[in-house]
Amino acid sequence: MSNDAGKPQSAAVAFMVAGSAWFALGTIYGLFSAIHLMAPEFFNNIPWLVFGRTRPVHVNTMIFGFVANMLIGCALYYVPALLRTRLWSQKLGWIAFIFWQIAVLSGPVTFPFAITQGREYAEYVWIFDLCIMISLLTLVFNCVLTIAARRQNMLYVSVWYAIGALIWTAGVYPIGNVMWHPSSGALPGLIDSIFLWFYGHNLVGLLLTPLAIGAAYFVVPRVTRTPLYSHTLSLIGFWTLLALYAHIGGHHLLQAPIPNWLKSISVVDSMAMIIPVFTVLANVWLTARGSLSRLWKDPAGRFVLAGTIWYLIVGIQGSVQSLPAVQRITHFNNWVIGHAHIAVLGFSGFIALGAMWHVLPLAAGRRLYSHRLVNVQFGLALLGLIGFFAVLTAAGLIQGVGWYNGEAIYRVLPEIAPFMVLRAALGILIMAASFLGLYNAIRTLRGAPLRESESPLQEGPL
Amino acid sequence: MKMTPALLVIGGIMVFWASVFIVIILPSIVWQEPPSAAWQPWSDDEAAGHDLYVRNGCSYCHSQYVRVMDWGEGAERIAQRGDYVNQLPAILGTERTGPDLSQEGGEHPEDWQIAHFINPRNTRPLSLMPSWEFLGMRDIRHLTAYVRSLGGKDATFRAQRQEEWKPQAADAYAGGPAANIQWLHDHVPAPWHPMPNPYPATDAALQRGHKIYQDFCAGCHGVVGDGNGPAKEFLNPPPLNFTELRDHLVGGQYIGGIFYYQVMNGITGTGMPYFKRELESEKIWDVSNYIAVDFVGYTDAETAPLGIDASYEPEWKNNYSLPGADEK
């Protein structure tokens, strides 16, 4: 740290490379979990490979380790770049980095040994919750002071989203983890579920989503070399995302005995989420209008473009599946697992990867090691994820429709067995994509310096 | 509208916390959670089991609330807000790879539960649950205590019923095959006794029955029906050896109705679960014919009293001779 801490952009680079590494580790734990669902005695009586302990490692490593890490890294580059200044403090950036990595590392270190708070997505024990909070508050502080030191008066939309994601998550995280109850990280009784799903949903909605949108708003105009289509659409998308998303966690509990007014709010606002999703996508796509081929031919742009298409799919699906009539079939089964994968890996993960391939060379001052490897990674991840989505959705429909018709759990399990095999196989494609990415990122860092013409701050998206 | 740093930071914080007020603070203020009629506090062992349940990620496959549209385990009682009082955390779950457990208490006797935790496929050949043997017996007993508490007072009622019948069933088993089978027959309502299997034991029916047997029965009764499945060592009374039935048919003749009733209803107090939620009528009649033909060597399918044959039935004649007939 001591040597690199002074280098411009070193914290951003560290976040992005760590994201690549966690992506690889996360897929390994995903594979462990997938194997279990295919052959439950494959790792028989190996405590640290039991499904209930590997699954949270996979989930938390992917959210906090892979996607959040990579997108925060990108933000630490584009926020100062867009403000025509430097990050206020690289050292503070590194402190945020180290605390964030300690928290992510606690997943594979504690969960396999049954040290966990057990609430989905809020599993990190209190001391590591604290690490996340220190990291978030440090990032907020650093970014706000970077804004104060800006030489570009206007705040570009990517900056809004990056700042928003950090200050909102600094609120979402302690509430959702009930951090004022250190030992359990929970509240007694059913009300805990309201706190948990406020948190669980906003982890995606107010951390990954705004960071991913911010990154897309940064990368797309730069790759297509076109100005942003509309400032007004940017404003509408930003404020409606915040105003609507924060309310919709209740749609995870539609069939549980929570108050009906909370359910109503969550369904209505879930449907209304169509507004921020379509506004942002219209703005990004209209920005790229006429230059789509440029976006597609750029390896980073291709990832971001695909990420925005996943956003369309996951946004529409998310709204529709908040409806009680739909949830009767889709709740409690693999349909939702499919949805979660296209949200985290498809939408925010693809944009994170694309943004990293765009930003990493700029931030590190190195030429991208291999465009071809990025394209191969894209192909593997896309094929794997499309298959994943199809397989899990099909399995979920079989389960949901079966149960609705009175089929017992045990009767339905053999029906989804072949899908569990396919999902493990498709997961291997995604795992291969993560390894290629890590290799490419490391080789980039050790590779040739960037040429003068490609230097970072010359070309803004504005 | 120009986005200034002040608007971004202060506005962003204000809108966010306004939302928090609506969906977090307001519910916290108005929340009322009086205990439901079925609620009761946990014992120390049950609380220790809940802790294990949370720390080992059981909630990633098991939900703990029954919904209005549910049919499976626990479907007799829709979840109520007051069921979760003082649970820390009340872990509702998001997936049902395994069954909902909110009403699991008393569904099975303790020994079945332990056999199931040690290797779930002991008792449920189709289960995807990991084996929990590595936890050790102390933890497995805590988990068992917890699972048996799920459902509160309703669970206690069901668990007590298991405990009431268990010694009787165990005594009957200890009395030898004849006494045991007599006891089992005596606890099937009399109208089922002289009821033959109304459906033919065709090759296809036997193959279907074989599949059902392997998926649902073989863990306890063994692949050859001798009661020596992997769960046997845990269960008291042990699973029935079907081959012993050959000498103990009701009225020297009937077997189909008895099988049907026992598979449908289970034998509370023993490891034998009821299967009426999992197997519908044709599957029970098929597995009854399979057990009868393969393990007893005789089926009463299509014997008197006869009704009108179902329209799908092929021409089929029961050629199985009564047990003992050829020996005499």
Side-chain angles (χ1 to χ4, degrees):
Chain A
M1 166 187 173
S2 54
N3 283 338
D4 288 339
K7 285 189 192 168
Q9 320 302 352
S10 63
V13 171
F15 266 106
M16 284 183 276
V17 175
S20 305
W22 290 124
F23 184 22
L25 187 84
T27 56
I28 293 173
Y29 274 89
L31 185 65
F32 288 154
S33 308
I35 287 173
H36 180 94
L37 290 170
M38 191 174 82
E41 297 196 21
F42 194 87
F43 301 117
N44 208 26
N45 278 313
I46 303 174
W48 50 278
L49 284 178
V50 159
F51 178 80
R53 299 182 182 185
T54 56
R55 184 189 187 268
V57 178
H58 167 69
V59 169
N60 285 280
T61 303
M62 285 309 192
I63 292 174
F64 293 97
F66 160 38
V67 183
N69 244 326
M70 230 175 237
L71 288 171
I72 289 173
C74 295
L76 286 183
Y77 173 81
Y78 68 66
V79 167
L82 290 165
L83 298 169
R84 302 258 190 268
T85 183
R86 290 188 184 284
L87 188 64
W88 184 72
S89 163
Q90 278 298 321
K91 198 163 267 177
L92 267 189
W94 274 91
I95 289 173
F97 171 79
I98 286 168
F99 277 101
W100 194 271
Q101 307 319 313
I102 291 172
V104 176
L105 182 65
S106 82
V109 169
T110 60
F111 303 158
F113 305 97
I115 302 164
T116 165
Q117 291 184 332
R119 293 155 83 243
E120 208 166 352
Y121 312 133
E123 284 96 344
Y124 292 143
V125 294
W126 185 76
I127 187 79
F128 302 113
D129 291 342
L130 211 56
C131 292
I132 295 265
M133 283 310 295
I134 291 171
S135 185
L136 279 172
L137 293 172
T138 314
L139 287 167
V140 170
F141 186 70
N142 209 354
C143 287
V144 168
L145 287 178
T146 303
I147 292 181
R150 72 192 188 279
R151 286 187 284 143
Q152 160 68 257
N153 189 41
M154 191 181 163
L155 302 186
Y156 180 66
V157 56
S158 294
V159 178
W160 317 346
Y161 278 106
I163 303 293
L166 295 172
I167 58 178
W168 303 328
T169 306
V172 166
Y173 196 87
I175 296 172
N177 283 276
V178 194
M179 282 183 67
W180 58 100
H181 287 178
S183 63
S184 62
L187 291 169
L190 188 66
I191 196 166
D192 182 67
S193 62
I194 290 169
F195 280 65
L196 178 64
W197 287 110
F198 165 77
Y199 163 74
H201 203 83
N202 286 325
L203 203 53
V204 181
L206 295 183
L207 177 66
L208 302 188
T209 298
L211 285 174
I213 295 174
Y217 268 132
F218 177 69
V219 174
V220 170
R222 281 183 55 96
V223 172
T224 57
R225 293 185 215 118
T226 45
L228 183 66
Y229 175 73
S230 162
H231 177 66
T232 309
L233 285 182
S234 303
L235 281 168
I236 295 171
F238 179 81
W239 290 110
T240 51
L241 177 83
L242 172 60
L244 298 170
Y245 221 135
H247 296 153
I248 64 183
H251 69 206
H252 290 258
L253 299 162
L254 278 190
Q255 300 159 340
I258 65 162
N260 282 333
W261 62 272
L262 272 173
K263 297 182 188 177
S264 305
I265 290 176
S266 73
V267 175
V268 171
D269 284 6
S270 296
M271 287 310 293
M273 275 299 296
I274 295 281
I275 298 166
V277 172
F278 277 62
T279 312
V280 165
L281 287 174
N283 208 8
V284 170
W285 288 343
L286 288 171
T287 299
R289 185 178 46 173
S291 315
L292 265 182
S293 71
R294 213 177 273 165
L295 202 54
W296 176 253
K297 281 175 188 157
D298 181 90
R302 183 180 295 190
F303 258 115
V304 174
L305 177 64
T308 58
I309 294 167
W310 282 120
Y311 190 37
L312 177 72
I313 297 168
V314 78
I316 294 172
Q317 188 194 24
S319 292
V320 170
Q321 80 190 34
S322 75
L323 296 171
V326 177
Q327 276 203 19
R328 261 169 238 157
I329 302 299
T330 62
H331 197 57
F332 277 146
N333 57 51
N334 280 294
W335 167 289
V336 184
I337 309 292
H339 176 72
H341 279 87
I342 62 170
V344 176
L345 174 58
F347 158 48
S348 54
F350 267 56
I351 290 179
L353 288 164
M356 180 183 78
W357 295 128
H358 185 81
V359 168
L360 186 66
L362 302 177
R366 304 279 170 176
R367 304 200 64 192
L368 179 61
Y369 168 66
S370 166
H371 282 229
R372 177 171 289 180
L373 271 185
V374 175
N375 286 338
V376 174
Q377 182 192 31
F378 177 81
L380 286 170
L382 189 67
L383 194 63
L385 187 60
I386 291 173
F388 232 75
F389 182 47
V391 161
L392 291 175
T393 302
L397 286 173
I398 289 170
Q399 292 174 289
V401 172
W403 300 340
Y404 198 55
N405 281 322
E407 293 272 346
I409 296 277
Y410 286 111
R411 281 279 298 279
V412 177
L413 285 182
E415 297 171 19
I416 63 166
F419 295 90
M420 295 296 104
V421 177
L422 284 172
R423 97 95 84 85
L426 290 160
I428 289 172
L429 298 184
I430 299 171
M431 191 164 83
S434 73
F435 287 174
L436 286 184
L438 179 60
Y439 175 74
N440 205 4
I442 291 171
R443 288 298 298 257
T444 298
L445 288 189
R446 306 168 80 192
L450 215 55
R451 285 191 299 259
E452 273 302 304
S453 61
E454 297 162 318
S455 88
L457 292 176
Q458 283 185 348
E459 208 177 345
L462 300 169
Chain B
M1 186 169 121
K2 185 166 178 254
M3 197 74 142
T4 63
L7 178 64
L8 170 62
V9 174
I10 298 169
I13 288 175
M14 282 173 61
V15 176
F16 171 74
W17 284 93
S19 301
V20 172
F21 178 78
I22 295 170
V23 296
I24 289 290
I25 299 174
L26 204 55
S28 302
I29 294 169
V30 301
W31 189 264
Q32 287 182 331
E33 193 180 67
S36 64
W39 181 85
Q40 63 186 10
W42 288 326
S43 70
D44 289 348
D45 281 359
E46 289 158 7
H50 173 257
D51 183 52
L52 286 162
Y53 184 92
V54 172
R55 289 195 290 113
N56 286 288
C58 306
S59 67
Y60 303 129
C61 291
H62 293 288
S63 61
Q64 286 210 17
Y65 59 101
V66 171
R67 316 167 295 171
V68 285
M69 73 289 274
D70 281 334
W71 287 83
E73 257 121 315
E76 290 311 308
R77 190 175 181 285
I78 314 297
Q80 295 177 17
R81 199 173 305 167
D83 293 347
Y84 304 91
V85 176
N86 283 344
Q87 296 188 5
L88 187 66
I91 197 139
L92 297 181
T94 50
E95 280 288 302
R96 281 188 185 163
T97 306
D100 184 273
L101 294 182
S102 59
Q103 295 295 320
E104 189 67 11
E107 281 270 338
H108 303 280
E110 198 171 5
D111 50 3
W112 184 98
Q113 203 70 61
I114 288 171
H116 189 57
F117 275 130
I118 284 177
N119 184 332
R121 284 147 297 279
N122 282 344
T123 52
R124 282 289 194 178
L126 293 178
S127 173
L128 281 183
M129 184 158 81
S131 307
W132 297 99
E133 191 176 8
F134 69 86
L135 286 177
M137 276 316 289
R138 186 168 162 274
D139 281 357
I140 287 180
R141 285 191 190 284
H142 285 157
L143 271 176
T144 302
Y146 171 62
V147 169
R148 282 168 68 73
S149 80
L150 291 171
K153 288 172 187 159
D154 293 352
T156 305
F157 170 79
R158 290 189 293 262
Q160 277 170 354
R161 183 167 50 205
Q162 296 275 8
E163 297 307 320
E164 280 163 26
W165 285 103
K166 186 183 185 66
Q168 299 182 47
D171 285 351
Y173 185 87
N180 187 34
I181 292 166
Q182 189 60 48
W183 185 86
L184 291 170
H185 285 171
D186 288 348
H187 289 88
V188 173
W192 293 84
H193 288 191
M195 172 143 180
N197 193 324
Y199 299 111
T202 60
D203 287 347
L206 292 176
Q207 279 182 32
R208 293 195 300 268
H210 185 192
K211 175 83 172 92
I212 295 296
Y213 184 84
Q214 287 181 323
D215 285 353
F216 291 91
C217 318
C220 296
H221 293 286
V223 287
V224 292
D226 59 357
N228 278 322
K232 182 191 180 182
E233 60 173 305
F234 304 98
L235 300 178
N236 181 36
L240 185 66
N241 174 349
F242 291 122
T243 62
E244 288 167 350
L245 287 173
R246 191 169 168 81
D247 300 327
H248 302 281
L249 298 180
V250 173
Q253 178 181 359
Y254 294 112
I255 187 168
I258 302 269
F259 271 148
Y260 192 96
Y261 182 83
Q262 299 286 40
V263 172
M264 169 185 77
N265 193 66
I267 304 167
T268 304
T270 77
M272 177 69 184
Y274 62 88
F275 286 98
K276 80 183 184 88
R277 284 192 163 128
E278 281 146 306
L279 302 176
E280 69 277 10
S281 133
E282 175 160 32
K283 295 191 170 67
I284 302 184
W285 288 123
D286 285 346
V287 79
S288 298
N289 262 330
Y290 168 75
I291 294 169
V293 169
D294 269 48
F295 307 141
V296 185
Y298 159 80
T299 176
D300 58 359
E302 298 270 79
T303 58
L306 291 167
I308 303 170
D309 281 346
S311 61
Y312 83 91
E313 288 186 35
E315 193 175 5
W316 186 81
K317 190 172 176 304
N318 187 334
N319 288 323
Y320 295 96
S321 50
L322 270 175
D326 40 346
E327 287 137 46
K328 274 171 196 163

